[in-house]
Coordinates of all heavy atoms in Angstrom, one line a residue:
M883 N 166.6 114.9 133.8 CA 166.5 115.5 132.5 C 168.0 115.9 132.1 O 168.7 116.5 132.9 CB 165.6 116.7 132.4 CG 165.6 117.3 131.0 SD 164.5 118.7 130.9 CE 165.6 120.0 131.5
R884 N 168.3 115.6 130.8 CA 169.6 116.0 130.3 C 169.3 116.8 129.0 O 168.5 116.3 128.2 CB 170.5 114.8 130.0 CG 171.0 114.2 131.3 CD 171.9 115.1 132.0 NE 172.2 114.6 133.3 CZ 172.2 115.3 134.4 NH1 172.0 116.6 134.4 NH2 172.5 114.8 135.6
R885 N 170.0 117.9 128.8 CA 169.9 118.7 127.6 C 171.2 118.6 126.8 O 172.3 118.6 127.4 CB 169.6 120.1 127.9 CG 169.5 121.0 126.7 CD 168.9 122.3 127.0 NE 167.5 122.0 127.2 CZ 166.7 122.8 127.7 NH1 167.0 124.0 128.2 NH2 165.4 122.5 127.8
A886 N 171.1 118.4 125.5 CA 172.2 118.4 124.6 C 171.8 119.2 123.4 O 171.0 118.8 122.6 CB 172.6 117.0 124.2
G887 N 172.3 120.5 123.3 CA 171.9 121.3 122.2 C 170.5 121.7 122.2 O 170.0 122.1 123.2
A888 N 169.8 121.4 121.1 CA 168.4 121.8 121.0 C 167.4 120.7 121.5 O 166.2 120.8 121.5 CB 168.0 122.1 119.6
L889 N 168.0 119.6 122.0 CA 167.2 118.5 122.5 C 167.4 118.3 124.0 O 168.5 118.5 124.5 CB 167.6 117.1 121.8 CG 167.5 117.1 120.3 CD1 168.0 115.7 119.8 CD2 166.1 117.3 119.8
S890 N 166.3 117.8 124.7 CA 166.4 117.4 126.0 C 165.7 116.1 126.2 O 164.7 115.8 125.5 CB 165.9 118.5 127.0 OG 164.5 118.6 126.7
V891 N 166.2 115.3 127.1 CA 165.7 113.9 127.3 C 165.4 113.7 128.8 O 166.2 114.0 129.6 CB 166.6 112.8 126.7 CG1 166.1 111.5 126.9 CG2 167.0 113.1 125.3
R892 N 164.2 113.1 129.0 CA 163.9 112.7 130.4 C 163.7 111.2 130.3 O 163.2 110.7 129.3 CB 162.6 113.3 130.9 CG 162.7 114.8 131.2 CD 161.3 115.3 131.7 NE 161.4 116.7 131.8 CZ 161.4 117.4 132.9 NH1 161.5 116.7 134.0 NH2 161.4 118.7 132.9
R893 N 164.0 110.5 131.4 CA 163.8 109.1 131.5 C 163.2 108.7 132.8 O 163.6 109.2 133.9 CB 165.1 108.3 131.3 CG 165.0 106.8 131.4 CD 166.3 106.1 131.1 NE 167.3 106.3 132.2 CZ 167.5 105.4 133.1 NH1 166.8 104.3 133.2 NH2 168.4 105.7 134.0
V894 N 162.2 107.8 132.8 CA 161.6 107.2 134.0 C 161.7 105.7 133.8 O 161.5 105.2 132.7 CB 160.2 107.7 134.3 CG1 160.2 109.2 134.6 CG2 159.3 107.4 133.2
G895 N 161.9 105.0 134.9 CA 162.0 103.6 134.9 C 160.7 102.9 134.9 O 159.7 103.6 135.2
G896 N 160.7 101.7 134.7 CA 159.5 100.9 134.7 C 159.9 99.4 134.8 O 161.0 99.1 135.1
P897 N 158.9 98.5 134.5 CA 159.2 97.1 134.5 C 160.3 96.7 133.5 O 160.2 97.1 132.3 CB 157.9 96.4 134.2 CG 157.0 97.5 133.8 CD 157.6 98.8 134.1
V898 N 161.3 96.0 133.9 CA 162.5 95.7 133.0 C 162.1 94.7 132.0 O 162.9 94.6 131.0 CB 163.7 95.2 133.8 CG1 164.3 96.3 134.7 CG2 163.3 94.0 134.7
D899 N 161.0 94.1 132.0 CA 160.7 93.1 131.0 C 159.9 93.7 129.8 O 159.6 93.0 128.9 CB 159.8 91.9 131.6 CG 158.6 92.4 132.3 OD1 158.4 93.6 132.5 OD2 157.7 91.6 132.5
S900 N 159.7 95.0 129.8 CA 159.0 95.6 128.7 C 160.1 96.4 127.9 O 161.1 96.8 128.4 CB 157.9 96.6 129.2 OG 158.5 97.6 130.0
P901 N 159.8 96.6 126.6 CA 160.7 97.4 125.8 C 160.7 98.9 126.1 O 159.7 99.3 126.7 CB 160.2 97.1 124.3 CG 158.7 96.8 124.5 CD 158.6 96.1 125.9
P902 N 161.7 99.6 125.8 CA 161.7 101.0 126.0 C 160.7 101.7 125.2 O 160.4 101.3 124.1 CB 163.1 101.5 125.6 CG 163.7 100.4 124.8 CD 163.0 99.1 125.1
R903 N 160.1 102.8 125.8 CA 159.1 103.5 125.1 C 159.6 105.0 124.9 O 160.3 105.5 125.8 CB 157.8 103.6 125.9 CG 157.1 102.2 126.0 CD 155.9 102.2 126.9 NE 156.4 102.5 128.3 CZ 155.6 103.1 129.2 NH1 154.4 103.4 128.9 NH2 156.1 103.4 130.4
V904 N 159.2 105.6 123.8 CA 159.7 106.9 123.5 C 158.5 107.8 123.1 O 157.7 107.4 122.3 CB 160.8 106.9 122.4 CG1 161.3 108.3 122.1 CG2 161.9 106.0 122.8
A905 N 158.5 109.0 123.7 CA 157.5 110.0 123.3 C 158.2 111.3 123.0 O 159.3 111.5 123.4 CB 156.5 110.3 124.5
Y906 N 157.5 112.1 122.2 CA 158.1 113.4 121.7 C 157.3 114.6 122.1 O 156.1 114.5 122.0 CB 158.3 113.3 120.2 CG 159.0 112.1 119.7 CD1 158.4 110.9 119.5 CD2 160.4 112.1 119.6 CE1 159.1 109.8 119.1 CE2 161.1 111.0 119.3 CZ 160.5 109.8 119.0 OH 161.2 108.7 118.6
A907 N 158.0 115.6 122.6 CA 157.3 116.9 122.9 C 157.8 118.0 122.0 O 159.0 118.4 122.2 CB 157.6 117.2 124.4
L908 N 157.0 118.3 121.1 CA 157.3 119.4 120.1 C 156.2 120.4 120.1 O 155.2 120.2 119.6 CB 157.5 118.8 118.7 CG 158.4 117.6 118.6 CD1 158.3 117.0 117.2 CD2 159.8 118.0 118.9
G909 N 156.5 121.5 120.8 CA 155.5 122.6 121.0 C 155.3 123.4 119.7 O 156.1 123.3 118.7
R910 N 154.3 124.2 119.8 CA 154.0 125.1 118.6 C 155.2 126.0 118.3 O 155.3 126.5 117.1 CB 152.8 125.9 118.9 CG 151.5 125.1 118.9 CD 150.3 125.9 119.0 NE 149.1 125.1 119.1 CZ 148.0 125.5 119.5 NH1 147.8 126.8 119.8 NH2 146.9 124.7 119.5
R911 N 156.0 126.4 119.2 CA 157.2 127.2 119.0 C 158.1 126.6 118.0 O 158.9 127.3 117.3 CB 157.9 127.6 120.2 CG 157.2 128.5 121.2 CD 157.9 128.8 122.4 NE 159.4 128.9 122.2 CZ 160.3 128.7 123.1 NH1 159.9 128.5 124.3 NH2 161.6 128.8 122.8
V912 N 158.1 125.3 117.9 CA 159.0 124.6 116.9 C 158.6 124.9 115.5 O 159.5 125.0 114.6 CB 159.0 123.1 117.2 CG1 159.7 122.3 116.1 CG2 159.6 122.8 118.6
G913 N 157.4 125.1 115.2 CA 156.9 125.4 113.9 C 155.5 124.9 113.7 O 154.8 124.5 114.6
S914 N 155.1 125.0 112.4 CA 153.7 124.6 112.0 C 153.6 123.1 112.2 O 154.6 122.4 112.3 CB 153.4 125.0 110.6 OG 154.3 124.4 109.7
A915 N 152.4 122.6 112.1 CA 152.2 121.1 112.2 C 153.0 120.3 111.3 O 153.6 119.3 111.7 CB 150.7 120.8 112.1
P916 N 153.1 120.7 110.0 CA 153.9 119.9 109.1 C 155.4 119.9 109.5 O 156.1 118.9 109.3 CB 153.7 120.5 107.7 CG 152.4 121.2 107.8 CD 152.3 121.6 109.2
V917 N 155.9 121.0 110.0 CA 157.3 121.1 110.4 C 157.5 120.2 111.6 O 158.5 119.5 111.7 CB 157.6 122.6 110.7 CG1 159.0 122.7 111.4 CG2 157.6 123.4 109.4
R918 N 156.6 120.3 112.6 CA 156.7 119.4 113.8 C 156.6 118.0 113.4 O 157.4 117.2 113.9 CB 155.6 119.8 114.8 CG 155.8 121.2 115.4 CD 154.9 121.4 116.6 NE 153.5 121.0 116.4 CZ 152.5 121.8 116.0 NH1 152.8 123.1 115.7 NH2 151.3 121.4 115.9
N919 N 155.8 117.6 112.5 CA 155.6 116.2 112.1 C 156.9 115.7 111.4 O 157.3 114.6 111.6 CB 154.4 116.0 111.2 CG 153.1 116.1 112.0 OD1 153.1 115.9 113.2 ND2 152.1 116.5 111.3
R920 N 157.5 116.6 110.6 CA 158.7 116.2 109.9 C 159.8 116.0 110.9 O 160.6 115.0 110.8 CB 159.1 117.3 108.9 CG 160.2 116.9 108.0 CD 160.5 118.0 106.9 NE 159.3 118.4 106.2 CZ 158.9 119.7 106.3 NH1 159.5 120.6 106.9 NH2 157.8 120.0 105.6
L921 N 160.0 116.9 111.8 CA 161.0 116.7 112.9 C 160.7 115.5 113.7 O 161.7 114.7 114.0 CB 161.0 118.0 113.8 CG 162.0 117.9 114.9 CD1 163.5 117.7 114.4 CD2 161.9 119.2 115.8
R922 N 159.5 115.2 114.0 CA 159.2 114.0 114.8 C 159.6 112.7 114.0 O 160.2 111.8 114.6 CB 157.7 113.9 115.1 CG 157.3 112.8 116.1 CD 155.8 112.9 116.4 NE 155.5 114.1 117.2 CZ 154.8 115.1 116.8 NH1 154.2 115.1 115.6 NH2 154.6 116.1 117.5
R923 N 159.3 112.7 112.7 CA 159.8 111.5 111.9 C 161.3 111.4 111.9 O 161.8 110.3 112.0 CB 159.2 111.7 110.5 CG 157.7 111.4 110.3 CD 157.3 111.3 108.9 NE 157.6 112.4 108.1 CZ 156.8 113.5 107.9 NH1 155.6 113.5 108.5 NH2 157.1 114.5 107.2
R924 N 162.0 112.5 111.8 CA 163.4 112.5 111.8 C 163.9 112.0 113.1 O 164.9 111.2 113.2 CB 164.0 113.9 111.5 CG 163.7 114.4 110.1 CD 164.2 115.8 109.8 NE 165.6 115.9 110.0 CZ 166.2 117.0 110.4 NH1 165.5 118.1 110.7 NH2 167.5 117.0 110.6
L925 N 163.3 112.4 114.2 CA 163.8 112.0 115.5 C 163.5 110.5 115.7 O 164.3 109.8 116.3 CB 163.1 112.8 116.6 CG 163.6 114.2 116.8 CD1 162.6 115.0 117.7 CD2 165.0 114.2 117.3
R926 N 162.3 110.0 115.2 CA 162.0 108.6 115.3 C 163.1 107.8 114.5 O 163.5 106.7 115.0 CB 160.7 108.3 114.7 CG 159.5 108.6 115.6 CD 158.2 108.1 115.0 NE 157.1 108.6 115.7 CZ 156.0 109.2 115.2 NH1 155.8 109.2 113.9 NH2 155.1 109.6 116.0
S927 N 163.5 108.3 113.4 CA 164.6 107.6 112.7 C 165.9 107.5 113.4 O 166.5 106.5 113.5 CB 164.8 108.3 111.3 OG 165.8 107.7 110.6
V928 N 166.2 108.6 114.1 CA 167.4 108.7 114.9 C 167.3 107.7 116.1 O 168.3 107.0 116.4 CB 167.7 110.1 115.3 CG1 168.8 110.1 116.4 CG2 168.1 111.0 114.2
V929 N 166.2 107.7 116.7 CA 166.0 106.8 117.9 C 166.1 105.4 117.5 O 166.6 104.5 118.2 CB 164.6 107.1 118.6 CG1 164.2 106.1 119.6 CG2 164.7 108.5 119.3
A930 N 165.5 105.0 116.3 CA 165.6 103.7 115.8 C 167.1 103.2 115.7 O 167.4 102.1 116.0 CB 164.9 103.5 114.5
G931 N 167.9 104.1 115.2 CA 169.3 103.8 115.1 C 170.0 103.7 116.5 O 171.1 103.0 116.6
L932 N 169.5 104.3 117.5 CA 170.1 104.3 118.8 C 169.4 103.4 119.8 O 169.6 103.4 121.0 CB 170.1 105.7 119.4 CG 170.9 106.7 118.6 CD1 170.7 108.1 119.3 CD2 172.4 106.4 118.6
E933 N 168.5 102.5 119.3 CA 167.6 101.7 120.1 C 168.4 100.8 121.1 O 168.0 100.6 122.2 CB 166.8 100.8 119.2 CG 165.6 100.2 120.0 CD 164.6 99.5 119.1 OE1 164.7 99.7 117.9 OE2 163.7 98.9 119.6
S934 N 169.6 100.4 120.7 CA 170.4 99.5 121.5 C 170.9 100.3 122.8 O 171.3 99.7 123.8 CB 171.6 98.9 120.8 OG 172.5 100.0 120.4
E935 N 170.9 101.6 122.7 CA 171.4 102.4 123.9 C 170.3 102.7 124.8 O 170.5 103.4 125.9 CB 172.1 103.7 123.3 CG 173.3 103.4 122.5 CD 174.0 104.6 122.0 OE1 173.9 105.6 122.7 OE2 174.6 104.5 120.9
L936 N 169.0 102.4 124.5 CA 167.9 102.7 125.4 C 167.8 101.6 126.4 O 168.0 100.4 126.1 CB 166.6 102.8 124.6 CG 166.6 103.9 123.5 CD1 165.3 103.9 122.8 CD2 166.9 105.2 124.1
V937 N 167.5 101.9 127.7 CA 167.3 101.0 128.8 C 166.0 100.3 128.7 O 164.9 101.0 128.7 CB 167.5 101.7 130.1 CG1 167.3 100.8 131.3 CG2 168.8 102.4 130.2
P938 N 165.9 99.0 128.7 CA 164.6 98.3 128.7 C 163.8 98.7 129.8 O 164.3 98.8 131.0 CB 165.0 96.8 128.7 CG 166.5 96.7 128.2 CD 167.1 98.0 128.6
G939 N 162.5 98.8 129.6 CA 161.5 99.1 130.6 C 161.4 100.6 130.9 O 160.6 101.0 131.7
S940 N 162.3 101.4 130.3 CA 162.3 102.9 130.6 C 161.3 103.6 129.6 O 161.1 103.1 128.5 CB 163.7 103.5 130.4 OG 164.5 103.0 131.5
A941 N 160.9 104.7 130.0 CA 160.1 105.6 129.2 C 160.9 106.9 129.0 O 161.4 107.4 130.0 CB 158.7 105.9 129.8
Y942 N 161.0 107.3 127.8 CA 161.8 108.5 127.4 C 160.9 109.6 126.9 O 160.0 109.2 126.1 CB 162.9 108.2 126.4 CG 163.9 107.2 126.9 CD1 163.8 105.8 126.8 CD2 165.1 107.7 127.4 CE1 164.8 105.0 127.2 CE2 166.1 106.9 127.8 CZ 165.9 105.5 127.8 OH 166.9 104.7 128.2
L943 N 161.2 110.8 127.2 CA 160.5 111.9 126.7 C 161.5 112.8 126.0 O 162.4 113.3 126.7 CB 159.7 112.7 127.7 CG 159.0 114.0 127.2 CD1 158.0 113.7 126.1 CD2 158.4 114.8 128.3
I944 N 161.5 112.9 124.7 CA 162.4 113.8 124.0 C 161.7 115.1 123.6 O 160.7 115.0 122.9 CB 162.9 113.0 122.7 CG1 163.6 111.7 123.1 CG2 163.9 113.9 121.9 CD1 164.0 110.8 122.0
A945 N 162.3 116.2 124.1 CA 161.7 117.5 123.7 C 162.7 118.2 122.8 O 163.9 118.0 122.9 CB 161.5 118.3 125.0
A946 N 162.2 119.0 121.9 CA 163.0 119.7 121.0 C 162.7 121.2 121.0 O 161.5 121.6 121.1 CB 162.8 119.2 119.6
R947 N 163.7 122.0 120.9 CA 163.5 123.5 120.8 C 163.5 123.8 119.3 O 163.9 123.0 118.5 CB 164.7 124.2 121.5 CG 164.6 123.9 123.0 CD 165.5 124.8 123.8 NE 166.7 125.2 123.2 CZ 167.9 125.1 123.8 NH1 168.0 124.6 125.0 NH2 169.0 125.6 123.2
P948 N 163.1 125.0 119.0 CA 162.9 125.4 117.6 C 164.2 125.2 116.7 O 164.1 124.9 115.5 CB 162.5 126.9 117.6 CG 161.9 127.0 118.9 CD 162.6 126.1 119.9
E949 N 165.4 125.3 117.3 CA 166.6 125.2 116.6 C 166.8 123.8 116.0 O 167.6 123.6 115.0 CB 167.9 125.5 117.5 CG 167.8 126.8 118.2 CD 167.2 126.7 119.6 OE1 167.7 126.0 120.5 OE2 166.1 127.2 119.7
A950 N 166.1 122.8 116.6 CA 166.3 121.4 116.1 C 165.8 121.2 114.7 O 166.3 120.4 114.0 CB 165.5 120.5 117.0
V951 N 164.9 122.1 114.2 CA 164.4 122.0 112.9 C 165.5 122.2 111.8 O 165.5 121.5 110.8 CB 163.2 123.0 112.6 CG1 162.8 123.1 111.2 CG2 162.1 122.7 113.5
R952 N 166.4 123.0 112.2 CA 167.5 123.4 111.2 C 168.7 122.4 111.4 O 169.7 122.5 110.6 CB 168.0 124.8 111.4 CG 166.9 125.8 111.0 CD 167.3 127.2 111.1 NE 167.8 127.6 112.5 CZ 167.0 128.0 113.5 NH1 165.7 128.0 113.3 NH2 167.5 128.3 114.6
M953 N 168.7 121.5 112.3 CA 169.8 120.6 112.5 C 169.8 119.5 111.5 O 168.7 119.0 111.1 CB 169.8 120.0 114.0 CG 170.0 121.0 115.1 SD 169.7 120.3 116.7 CE 171.1 119.2 116.9
S954 N 171.0 119.0 111.1 CA 171.1 117.9 110.2 C 170.8 116.6 111.0 O 170.8 116.6 112.3 CB 172.5 117.8 109.6 OG 173.4 117.4 110.6
T955 N 170.5 115.5 110.3 CA 170.2 114.3 111.0 C 171.4 113.8 111.8 O 171.3 113.3 112.9 CB 169.9 113.2 110.0 OG1 168.7 113.7 109.2 CG2 169.5 111.9 110.6
V956 N 172.6 114.1 111.3 CA 173.8 113.7 112.1 C 173.9 114.5 113.3 O 174.3 114.0 114.4 CB 175.1 113.9 111.2 CG1 176.4 113.7 112.0 CG2 175.1 113.0 110.0
D957 N 173.6 115.8 113.3 CA 173.6 116.7 114.5 C 172.6 116.2 115.5 O 172.8 116.2 116.7 CB 173.4 118.1 114.1 CG 174.6 118.7 113.4 OD1 175.7 118.1 113.4 OD2 174.4 119.7 112.7
L958 N 171.4 115.8 115.0 CA 170.3 115.3 115.9 C 170.8 114.1 116.6 O 170.6 113.9 117.8 CB 169.0 115.1 115.1 CG 168.2 116.3 114.6 CD1 167.1 115.8 113.7 CD2 167.7 117.1 115.8
E959 N 171.4 113.2 115.8 CA 171.9 111.9 116.4 C 173.0 112.2 117.5 O 173.0 111.6 118.5 CB 172.4 111.0 115.3 CG 172.9 109.7 115.9 CD 173.4 108.7 114.8 OE1 173.2 109.0 113.6 OE2 174.0 107.7 115.1
T960 N 173.9 113.1 117.1 CA 175.0 113.4 118.1 C 174.4 114.0 119.4 O 174.8 113.6 120.5 CB 175.9 114.4 117.4 OG1 176.5 113.8 116.3 CG2 177.1 114.8 118.4
A961 N 173.5 114.9 119.2 CA 172.8 115.6 120.4 C 172.1 114.6 121.2 O 172.2 114.5 122.5 CB 171.9 116.7 120.0
L962 N 171.3 113.7 120.6 CA 170.6 112.7 121.3 C 171.5 111.7 122.0 O 171.3 111.3 123.2 CB 169.6 112.0 120.4 CG 168.6 111.0 121.0 CD1 167.8 111.7 122.1 CD2 167.7 110.4 120.0
R963 N 172.5 111.3 121.3 CA 173.5 110.3 121.9 C 174.1 111.0 123.2 O 174.3 110.3 124.2 CB 174.5 110.0 120.9 CG 175.5 108.8 121.4 CD 176.5 108.5 120.3 NE 176.0 108.2 119.0 CZ 175.6 106.9 118.7 NH1 175.8 105.9 119.5 NH2 175.2 106.7 117.5
R964 N 174.5 112.3 123.1 CA 175.1 112.9 124.2 C 174.2 113.0 125.4 O 174.5 112.8 126.6 CB 175.6 114.4 123.8 CG 176.8 114.4 123.1 CD 177.5 115.8 123.0 NE 176.6 116.9 123.4 CZ 176.3 117.9 122.6 NH1 176.7 118.0 121.4 NH2 175.5 118.9 123.0
A965 N 172.9 113.3 125.1 CA 171.9 113.3 126.2 C 171.7 112.0 126.8 O 171.6 111.9 128.1 CB 170.6 113.9 125.7
L966 N 171.6 110.9 126.0 CA 171.5 109.6 126.6 C 172.6 109.1 127.4 O 172.5 108.5 128.5 CB 171.2 108.6 125.4 CG 169.9 108.7 124.7 CD1 169.9 107.8 123.5 CD2 168.7 108.4 125.6
I967 N 173.8 109.5 127.0 CA 175.0 109.2 127.7 C 175.0 109.9 129.1 O 175.3 109.3 130.1 CB 176.3 109.5 126.9 CG1 176.5 108.5 125.8 CG2 177.6 109.5 127.8 CD1 177.5 108.8 124.8
A968 N 174.6 111.2 129.0 CA 174.5 111.9 130.3 C 173.5 111.4 131.2 O 173.7 111.3 132.4 CB 174.2 113.4 130.0
L969 N 172.4 110.8 130.7 CA 171.4 110.2 131.5 C 172.0 108.9 132.2 O 171.7 108.7 133.4 CB 170.2 109.8 130.7 CG 169.1 110.9 130.5 CD1 168.1 110.4 129.5 CD2 168.5 111.4 131.8
Q970 N 172.7 108.1 131.4 CA 173.3 106.9 132.0 C 174.3 107.2 133.0 O 174.4 106.5 134.0 CB 173.9 106.1 130.9 CG 172.8 105.5 129.9 CD 173.4 104.8 128.7 OE1 174.6 104.8 128.5 NE2 172.6 104.2 127.9
D971 N 175.1 108.2 132.8 CA 176.2 108.6 133.8 C 175.5 109.1 135.0 O 176.0 108.9 136.1 CB 177.0 109.7 133.2 CG 178.0 109.2 132.1 OD1 178.1 108.0 131.9 OD2 178.5 110.1 131.3
N972 N 174.4 109.8 134.9 CA 173.7 110.3 136.1 C 173.1 109.2 136.9 O 173.0 109.2 138.1 CB 172.6 111.3 135.7 CG 172.0 112.1 136.8 OD1 172.7 112.4 137.8 ND2 170.7 112.3 136.8
A973 N 172.6 108.1 136.2 CA 172.0 107.0 136.9 C 172.9 106.1 137.6 O 172.6 105.4 138.5 CB 171.2 106.1 135.9
S974 N 174.2 106.1 137.2 CA 175.2 105.3 137.8 C 175.6 105.8 139.2 O 175.6 106.8 139.6 CB 176.5 105.2 137.0 OG 176.2 104.9 135.7

């Protein structure tokens, strides 16, 4: 697991012939259901832009703390990119 700001990312490997899978863990502390759903949509958009950096066959769990709600999309992307790089460095 790697944390970057208000986001943390876990990765587990799997069969390399399958595409990467991503799940989101947004607890009630993040906010009400509409707030969590909005953040989940924003994170999905960021992940779509970073899809080339995801390892095929891996499953990712992206967790967010309440501060993530107030982060801009650029800040979310930066934090997620840093966490993914840290995961890759750790795997090497």
Side-chain angles (χ1 to χ4, degrees):
M883 178 181 81
R884 291 292 171 220
R885 177 166 287 164
L889 300 179
S890 62
V891 180
R892 290 181 188 255
R893 180 176 69 98
V894 294
V898 292
D899 58 344
S900 64
R903 296 174 296 153
V904 181
Y906 304 90
L908 307 174
R910 289 185 184 167
R911 288 183 32 202
V912 172
S914 63
V917 170
R918 294 191 311 266
N919 289 336
R920 189 176 312 117
L921 178 58
R922 189 175 294 112
R923 285 192 303 270
R924 292 175 62 211
L925 287 169
R926 281 187 189 137
S927 173
V928 168
V929 167
L932 299 175
E933 194 168 355
S934 64
E935 298 182 30
L936 301 179
V937 177
S940 294
Y942 293 87
L943 176 63
I944 300 173
R947 296 194 326 231
E949 308 88 70
V951 172
R952 294 183 301 278
M953 293 172 69
S954 70
T955 302
V956 172
D957 291 340
L958 287 173
E959 181 177 352
T960 302
L962 188 55
R963 189 181 303 272
R964 281 194 348 238
L966 289 173
I967 289 170
L969 277 174
Q970 290 172 355
D971 290 345
N972 191 36
S974 309

